[in-house]
Amino acid sequence: MTKTILITGGAGFIGSHVVRRFVTTYPNYTIVNLDALTYAGNLENLRDVDTLPNYKFEKGDIADADFIEALFKKYTFDGVIHLAAESHVDRSITDPGAFVKTNVFGTMVLLNAAKNAWQTNFEGKRFYHVSTDEVYGSLGAEGLFLETTPYDPKSPYSASKASSDHFVRAYHNTYKLPVVISNCSNNYGPNHFPEKLIPLCINNITHNKPLPIYGKGENVRDWLYVIDHARAIDMIFHSGKNGDTYNIGGNNEWTNIALVKKLCEIMDSRLNRAQGESEKLITYVTDRAGHDLRYAIDSSKLMNELGWEPSVTFEEGIELTVDWYLQNQEWLARVVSGNYAHYYEKMYANR
Ligand code: NAD
Ligand code: TYD
């Protein structure tokens, strides 16, 4: 079956893996990647697939309603997979407005465009909103996030994603727009922008720079290999139930300090350093404001209903990730040149 699918944010970390999966797995689909190419967007992430005949790129802002309306006239989309977002919690603390503009307003603009373009016939259409487990707030030592867990976002980032999720459900309830939502735990893997913990530490270990651990390093995250998230998105897009929500997680909880020590151990062996050498770079810094203690996902709905399960263990995934960064030093060097140095200086100077 042929389909034309709009993927937003396809030049970013997760979006690039989703675009790659769709253009290579479904040669009959036309995949239109819409991305504003913010600091986090990088077309280099797609260099291996961007000459395929079923791939198209459009540069634009999801919050630009005229542009989005024109895009929905230029193409007849059968589906939207919406990943474009401002995604970094620390940036949301310094500039919440940018998160409201893209994550809340931009999502509403896309929903409106899909509703207007599809309103005569919703048959076979689907608006898939990719969201985060952070909308559920912060767990204590026990428990897991379920699809039924009440929303309790605590950072400007998670508040903006929660708001966008509510708009998606409101469009489903009010206008019967066919939607599906997934809420995923922390991703890791190739092409991750090095403002986030894992690539930041790999980059800093490589260059013998301090590894900034917020607070005591006791916060817990549930890490999932990005390619397994892209596999889940494929399954949910094709087989998820209209109007439903699916949680996606790695069943793989790590405290930040244990995770960074694990990275140090792998990097020591890859860089032929004595074991324990990179750990000396660990530096405890001022905690993030309002830092969520623990996220952990129960993915049993996705596993039981759609048969998804992660394809790689964390041990395999983290080694693949470290090796990817070591083999793609030029990608990393280009990404951290320019504005990144300015960002890093500003974000870490007073910690
Ligand atoms: P990212 O920051 O790496 O990429 C975001 C992409 O969106 C970039 O290519 C950027 O250029 C683009 N973009 C930003 N603003 C835009 C705008 N106004 N118009 C068009 N494009 C715009 O993010 P990511 O980590 O790949 O996350 C993708 C999605 O997945 C987000 O919606 C995020 O909330 C969600 N998510 C991320 C994680 C994670 O661990 N990274 C976990 C769960 C859910
Ligand atoms: P991050 O990768 O920013 O993802 P999120 O905040 O969305 O979970 O951070 C992961 C964890 O690592 C989080 O608890 C904050 C912590 N962290 C540090 O300790 N130091 C850092 O330099 C960064 C970027 C994050």
Side-chain angles (χ1 to χ4, degrees), residues 12-14 35-36 38 41 61-62 83 87 102 131 157 161 184 187:
F13 166 47
I14 301 170
D35 200 296
T38 69
D61 185 341
I62 56 165
L83 296 108
S87 68
T102 288
S131 193
Y157 164 65
K161 290 297 291 188
C184 188
N187 285 214

Side-chain angles (χ1 to χ4, degrees), residues 87-90 132-134 155 157 185-187 192-201 204 210-223 254-257 259-260 283 285-288 291-295 343-344 347-348 351:
S87 68
H88 190 36
V89 174
D90 291 330
T132 168
D133 62 352
E134 303 191 24
S155 74
Y157 164 65
S185 64
N186 286 60
N187 285 214
H192 204 180
F193 192 79
E195 64 186 353
K196 308 279 170 65
L197 181 68
I198 290 180
L200 184 146
C201 286
N204 286 13
L211 306 177
I213 306 288
Y214 297 168
K216 294 184 178 149
E218 286 167 356
N219 304 68
V220 174
R221 298 291 183 264
D222 172 0
W223 293 94
W254 288 77
T255 61
N256 293 337
I257 188 64
L259 176 68
V260 172
T283 308
V285 300
T286 309
D287 209 352
R288 173 186 281 171
H291 195 172
D292 287 344
L293 177 66
R294 176 170 165 259
Y295 306 141
Y343 159 82
Y344 198 91
M347 199 58 84
Y348 291 91
R351 282 195 181 269

Side-chain angles (χ1 to χ4, degrees), residues 10-12 16 35 37-46 191 331 334-335:
S16 62
D35 200 296
L37 300 181
T38 69
Y39 77 92
N42 184 354
L43 288 175
E44 211 185 322
N45 295 346
L46 290 164
N191 306 103
W331 179 93
R334 272 197 288 278
V335 165

Side-chain angles (χ1 to χ4, degrees), residues 144-266:
L144 299 171
F145 294 134
L146 291 160
E147 287 81 359
T148 50
T149 301
Y151 275 31
D152 188 18
K154 305 225 179 254
S155 74
Y157 164 65
S158 54
S160 70
K161 290 297 291 188
S163 175
S164 65
D165 294 8
H166 290 322
F167 270 98
V168 175
R169 293 196 182 96
Y171 269 67
H172 179 67
N173 180 63
T174 310
Y175 310 110
K176 310 297 168 222
L177 189 75
V179 307
V180 69
I181 299 179
S182 60
N183 296 84
C184 188
S185 64
N186 286 60
N187 285 214
Y188 69 96
N191 306 103
H192 204 180
F193 192 79
E195 64 186 353
K196 308 279 170 65
L197 181 68
I198 290 180
L200 184 146
C201 286
I202 294 174
N203 186 40
N204 286 13
I205 295 170
T206 311
H207 297 101
N208 269 307
K209 284 175 61 180
L211 306 177
I213 306 288
Y214 297 168
K216 294 184 178 149
E218 286 167 356
N219 304 68
V220 174
R221 298 291 183 264
D222 172 0
W223 293 94
L224 177 69
Y225 194 51
V226 64
I227 285 168
D228 282 325
H229 188 189
R231 287 174 54 247
I233 288 174
D234 184 348
M235 281 183 181
I236 294 166
F237 179 75
H238 286 102
S239 311
K241 213 169 128 226
N242 183 24
D244 262 23
T245 294
Y246 295 85
N247 279 356
I248 314 170
N251 194 19
N252 175 44
E253 294 181 46
W254 288 77
T255 61
N256 293 337
I257 188 64
L259 176 68
V260 172
K261 285 185 177 171
K262 175 82 182 164
L263 276 176
C264 289
E265 183 192 308
I266 302 171

Side-chain angles (χ1 to χ4, degrees), residues 114-160:
K115 171 176 88 68
N116 292 339
W118 297 342
Q119 61 188 344
T120 49
N121 185 8
F122 283 152
E123 189 63 36
K125 308 291 191 207
R126 168 149 282 188
F127 189 104
Y128 182 167
H129 179 59
V130 175
S131 193
T132 168
D133 62 352
E134 303 191 24
V135 299
Y136 298 120
S138 180
L139 291 164
E142 300 291 317
L144 299 171
F145 294 134
L146 291 160
E147 287 81 359
T148 50
T149 301
Y151 275 31
D152 188 18
K154 305 225 179 254
S155 74
Y157 164 65
S158 54
S160 70

Side-chain angles (χ1 to χ4, degrees), residues 7-13 15-17 19-20 32-51 55-60 191 193 324 331 334-335:
I7 299 184
T8 70
F13 166 47
S16 62
H17 290 279
V19 167
R20 177 175 301 99
V32 180
N33 171 17
L34 163 66
D35 200 296
L37 300 181
T38 69
Y39 77 92
N42 184 354
L43 288 175
E44 211 185 322
N45 295 346
L46 290 164
R47 216 166 39 190
D48 56 324
V49 292
D50 65 8
T51 53
Y55 171 76
K56 297 190 189 316
F57 175 68
E58 297 278 352
K59 183 174 185 301
N191 306 103
F193 192 79
W324 185 87
W331 179 93
R334 272 197 288 278
V335 165

